[in-house]
């Protein structure tokens, strides 16, 4: 275990050390006190444990690394993540996993507004509630919410799948409730067990695109 | 950008450390607002009297002349000068003093008026401001602070926050208002006076106007949601506490925290992290358009 204390190391030194890690390395980071851009741009399969609350843009652009934050995260958590896993034991602020292409983001507490905005393949599992405008223009991947969802869920959504266990305050334009078929139950079950959430798949409803706002109609190909 | 901090002391034993606790919070918000800084502190209540903070444009202002003139016209208890600010404590009608100041001392501006509030602000780095005004030694019940990164209007002391919105009331703002020019004109017609072209001053003026129309603070803030267009996280200081509200879109950050000893708000957690016991505090993000307030019981 390599310990890095942010009382002594700068954020730049921290990120250089983490980015230079080898497969299987384990890091423990302390004294975070809400600092920004911790553990960003990692491209190797390392384990990072961050003890304390973090500020803006933690775990941004993550590839392959497994990052656990024992605390709350500020805005822009795991933005544009490509792969790997990021887990927060507390809450996350706005636009968690925005534009993220892959990997798994687990937020054990609540996530505030714009969670998964423009998500492009990431899977997000939230143990609590999510705020308004979540999954706005979500393109692909899954957003699993074990609590309630705020206003305008999935506005202008493309092909991402949204699973919500609690209430949805309102659905955004072109987002509708959809049938939960076996393939969805299987997918959801896998995400719940991967993220260590103990709810049953039957408790969830699925939401997705009505495909009226965006569609490609072959009969109108000349119009494009 | 801009940084906001607010600290409300719940445990009276900590009142002597108010400044020492709030100064690092303000300092931590320097990157969000390196242009100017300001603080509203609630302390030394003037029973059966009033307190006015005035700001001089010149650093070498003749405070002795002001003291003599006030003493001739009113019952002055005390005058405390800190650089280009002075806090006046009086046994007089607050409106009469304010009117007299406006008529006779147009080179001074009143930054705050009430019984408890004092507002200090200045251009430059927050660290310098904290030293110049000896913020760390301030005692009191609660304080609001602001670090400014100007986006809407010029960098001057008068453009700096907090803005007074009435007796013992003040406002700090992170965000930008898009309808402030029209709203300023509307409010001027209703008699609200403005010193600058700053958008946040319009929000302060709007709240002053609503309160003068008979709204309580919650009603005034609910009207603000209808009439203000733009982005905002507001913290509003009151005589016995403070309130926090975010706009309906809620894109400007805010975080709140509470322990048995204190309640705090800030633009970012790192400002709250400087407080004793922050790691075990109850921490949450305020919901859009919901008003959160603390009051001394």
């Amino acid at each position: 275990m390599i310990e890095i204390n942010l009382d002594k190391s700068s954020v730049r030194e921290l990120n250089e050390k983490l980015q230079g890690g080898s497969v299987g390395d384990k890091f423990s980071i302390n004294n975070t006190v809400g600092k920004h851009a911790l553990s960003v741009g990692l491209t190797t399969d390392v384990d990072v444990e961050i003890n304390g609350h973090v500020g803006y843009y933690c775990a941004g652009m993550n590839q392959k690394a497994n990052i656990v934050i024992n605390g709350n995260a500020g805005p822009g958590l795991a933005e544009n993540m490509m792969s790997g896993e990021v887990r927060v034991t507390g809450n996350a602020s706005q636009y968690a996993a925005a534009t993220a292409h892959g990997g798994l983001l687990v937020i054990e507490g609540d996530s505030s507004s714009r969670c998964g905005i423009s998500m492009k393949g990431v899977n997000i599992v939230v143990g609590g509630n999510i705020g308004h405008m979540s999954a706005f223009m979500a393109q692909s991947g899954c957003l699993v919410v074990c609590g309630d969802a705020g206003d305008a869920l999935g506005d202008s959504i493309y092909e991402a799948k949204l699973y919500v266990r609690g209430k949805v305050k309102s659905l955004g334009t072109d987002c509708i409730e959809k049938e939960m078929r076996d393939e969805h139950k299987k997918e959801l079950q896998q995400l719940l067990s991967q993220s260590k959430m103990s709810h049953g798949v039957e408790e969830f409803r699925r939401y997705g695109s009505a495909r009226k706002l965006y569609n490609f109609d072959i009969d109108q190909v000349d119009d494009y | 950008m801009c940084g906001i901090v607010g600290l409300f002391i719940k445990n009276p034993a900590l009142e002597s450390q108010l400044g020492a606790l709030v100064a690092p919070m303000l300092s931590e918000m320097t990157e969000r607002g390196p242009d100017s800084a300001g603080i509203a502190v609630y302390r030394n209540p003037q029973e059966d009297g009033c307190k006015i903070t005035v700001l001089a444009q010149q650093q070498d202002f003749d405070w002795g002349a002001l003291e003599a003139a006030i003493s001739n016209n009113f019952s002055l208890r005390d005058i405390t000068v800190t650089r280009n600010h002075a806090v006046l404590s009086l046994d007089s009608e607050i409106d009469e003093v304010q009117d007299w100041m406006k008529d006779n001392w147009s080179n001074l501006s009143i930054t705050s008026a009430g019984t408890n509030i004092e507002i200090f602000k200045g251009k430059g780095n927050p660290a310098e401001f904290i030293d110049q005004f000896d913020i760390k030694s301030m005692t009191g019940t609660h304080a609001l602070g602001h670090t400014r990164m100007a986006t809407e209007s010029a960098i001057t002391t008068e453009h700096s926050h907090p803005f007074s919105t009435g007796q013992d009331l003040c406002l700090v703002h992170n965000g930008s208002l898009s309808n402030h020019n029209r709203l300023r004109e509307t409010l001027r017609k209703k008699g609200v006076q403005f010193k600058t072209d700053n958008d946040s001053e319009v929000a302060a003026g709007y709240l002053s106007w609503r309160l003068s129309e008979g709204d309580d603070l919650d009603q005034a803030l609910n009207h603000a949601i209808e009439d203000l267009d733009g982005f905002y996280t507001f913290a509003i200081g009151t005589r016995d506490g403070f309130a926090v509200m975010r706009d309906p879109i809620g894109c400007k950050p805010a975080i709140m925290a509470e322990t048995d000893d204190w309640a705090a708000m800030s633009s970012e957690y790192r400002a709250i992290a400087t407080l004793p016991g922050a790691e075990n505090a109850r921490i949450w993000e305020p919901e859009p358009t919901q008003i959160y307030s603390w009051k001394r019981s």
Side-chain angles (χ1 to χ4, degrees):
Chain A
M1 180 77 79
I2 304 160
E3 285 186 29
I4 302 169
N5 189 335
L6 289 174
D7 258 0
K8 299 187 179 83
S9 292
S10 70
V11 171
R12 183 160 296 187
E13 285 165 351
L14 165 79
N15 284 324
E16 279 172 0
K17 271 188 200 163
L18 296 178
Q19 288 161 8
S22 307
V23 174
D25 279 356
K26 292 186 189 310
F27 296 90
S28 165
I29 301 162
N30 294 299
N31 283 309
T32 54
V33 294
K35 287 185 178 171
H36 298 177
L38 300 182
S39 192
V40 297
L42 273 55
T43 55
T44 318
D45 186 358
V46 295
D47 288 321
V48 181
E49 188 178 40
I50 301 175
N51 299 308
H53 307 311
V54 297
Y56 280 78
Y57 305 124
C58 184
M61 301 174 284
N62 188 54
Q63 286 186 50
K64 297 182 186 170
N66 177 31
I67 301 171
V68 176
I69 300 153
N70 292 311
N72 298 319
L77 171 71
E79 191 170 62
N80 213 63
M81 174 158 70
M82 304 302 286
S83 63
E85 184 176 324
V86 175
R87 176 179 284 266
V88 188
T89 61
N91 303 328
S93 185
Q94 306 180 65
Y95 45 93
T99 74
H101 291 249
L104 175 68
L105 170 64
V106 182
I107 297 162
E108 293 184 1
D110 299 332
S111 183
S112 71
S113 61
R114 294 171 274 270
C115 179
I117 183 169
S118 196
M119 55 194 276
K120 294 179 169 76
V122 67
N123 290 321
I124 307 169
V125 180
V126 181
N129 306 327
I130 60 170
H132 62 275
M133 291 302 280
S134 288
F136 175 63
M137 293 186 83
Q139 288 143 57
S140 105
C142 298
L143 170 61
V144 179
V145 185
C146 301
D148 300 334
D151 269 323
L153 176 70
D155 194 285
S156 309
I157 188 172
Y158 292 80
E159 289 303 309
K161 281 167 272 185
L162 315 178
Y163 299 102
V164 183
R165 182 165 159 268
K167 291 192 229 50
V168 174
K169 196 167 178 196
S170 68
L171 290 171
T173 305
D174 211 34
C175 185
I176 53 167
E177 185 174 350
K178 294 184 148 185
E179 186 195 354
M180 192 79 144
R181 296 194 299 269
D182 286 347
E183 69 205 77
H184 304 117
K185 288 178 185 164
K186 199 175 153 196
E187 176 180 62
L188 177 58
Q189 182 60 59
Q190 198 176 348
L191 285 169
L192 288 169
S193 62
Q194 206 182 341
S195 55
K196 301 185 183 72
M197 299 286 171
S198 56
H199 308 294
V201 291
E202 293 74 20
E203 299 167 44
F204 288 79
R205 292 168 173 232
R206 180 170 77 100
Y207 303 88
S209 179
R211 302 189 176 109
K212 290 201 169 12
L213 199 59
Y214 90 92
N215 60 48
F216 177 77
D217 188 338
I218 193 66
D219 295 332
Q220 293 168 4
V221 71
D222 292 341
D223 295 340
Y224 291 99
Chain B
M1 234 189 224
C2 281
I4 300 179
V5 302
L7 180 65
F8 174 80
I9 301 291
K10 290 166 70 181
N11 175 0
L14 286 177
E15 286 180 9
S16 61
Q17 297 170 46
L18 178 72
L21 294 172
V22 87
M25 295 179 75
L26 200 58
S27 207
E28 198 61 48
M29 290 294 94
T30 299
E31 286 162 35
R32 297 189 66 92
D35 299 339
S36 21
I39 194 164
V41 60
Y42 291 80
R43 58 174 175 178
N44 307 334
Q46 297 294 309
E47 307 293 340
D48 308 320
C50 68
K51 188 155 72 167
I52 291 173
T53 317
V54 291
L55 163 71
Q57 272 141 25
Q58 317 98 292
Q59 293 290 339
D60 58 351
F61 180 80
D62 183 358
W63 293 107
L66 176 72
E67 184 176 355
I70 292 183
S71 300
N72 283 337
N73 290 278
F74 300 99
S75 168
L76 181 69
R77 287 179 183 170
D78 188 35
I79 174 168
T80 311
V81 176
T82 314
R83 296 178 67 87
N84 55 342
H85 291 62
V87 178
L88 313 167
S89 310
L90 302 114
D91 267 322
S92 309
E93 276 299 317
I94 195 163
D95 294 335
E96 286 176 21
V97 184
Q98 290 198 84
D99 290 343
W100 177 84
M101 294 282 305
K102 280 173 197 153
D103 292 344
N104 296 284
W105 296 83
S106 56
N107 53 344
L108 291 178
S109 45
I110 296 172
T111 59
S112 75
T115 57
N116 296 37
I117 191 172
E118 297 172 22
I119 291 181
F120 304 93
K121 44 195 181 182
K123 272 193 298 183
N125 191 286
E128 286 168 28
F129 169 79
I130 288 166
D131 282 346
Q132 286 167 354
F133 289 88
D134 198 15
I135 305 296
K136 286 178 187 159
S137 73
M138 285 179 174
T139 62
T141 52
H142 53 295
L144 289 184
H146 187 268
T147 61
R148 180 165 184 243
M149 184 182 283
T151 53
E152 290 287 309
S153 50
I155 301 169
T156 74
T157 301
E158 292 210 324
H159 281 81
S160 311
H161 304 219
F163 288 105
S164 170
T165 58
Q167 287 187 25
D168 281 316
L169 287 167
C170 72
L171 171 93
V172 291
H173 170 212
N174 173 20
S176 57
L177 301 178
S178 42
N179 65 340
H180 64 101
N181 282 327
R182 179 164 295 178
L183 190 55
R184 189 184 296 106
E185 291 317 307
T186 310
L187 291 169
R188 274 196 173 127
K189 286 178 193 147
K190 296 181 189 298
V192 182
Q193 292 178 3
F194 294 96
K195 295 177 188 128
T196 72
D197 57 348
N198 181 287
D199 62 329
S200 310
E201 191 189 11
V202 174
Y206 177 85
L207 293 177
S208 305
W209 170 64
R210 285 309 324 167
L211 293 163
S212 71
E213 292 288 298
D215 279 6
D216 63 24
L217 185 59
D218 281 16
Q219 288 167 330
L221 286 170
N222 279 318
H223 278 118
I225 295 167
E226 300 297 317
D227 290 337
L228 299 181
D229 186 15
F231 301 127
Y232 48 86
T233 294
F234 290 139
I236 297 105
T238 64
R239 183 172 300 153
D240 44 14
F242 72 80
V244 174
M245 188 181 76
R246 299 170 80 198
D247 68 68
I249 293 176
C251 71
K252 288 294 168 189
I255 187 101
M256 304 179 79
E258 189 166 13
T259 68
D260 290 343
D261 288 336
W262 47 258
M265 76 80 56
S266 179
S267 303
E268 294 181 38
Y269 172 75
R270 59 182 168 143
I272 289 169
T274 63
L275 293 170
E279 59 282 2
N280 298 318
R282 187 171 76 88
I283 294 170
W284 74 100
E285 189 171 303
E287 296 278 336
T289 70
Q290 196 170 322
I291 300 164
Y292 298 80
S293 56
W294 283 285
K295 243 185 194 173
R296 190 153 291 267
S297 50

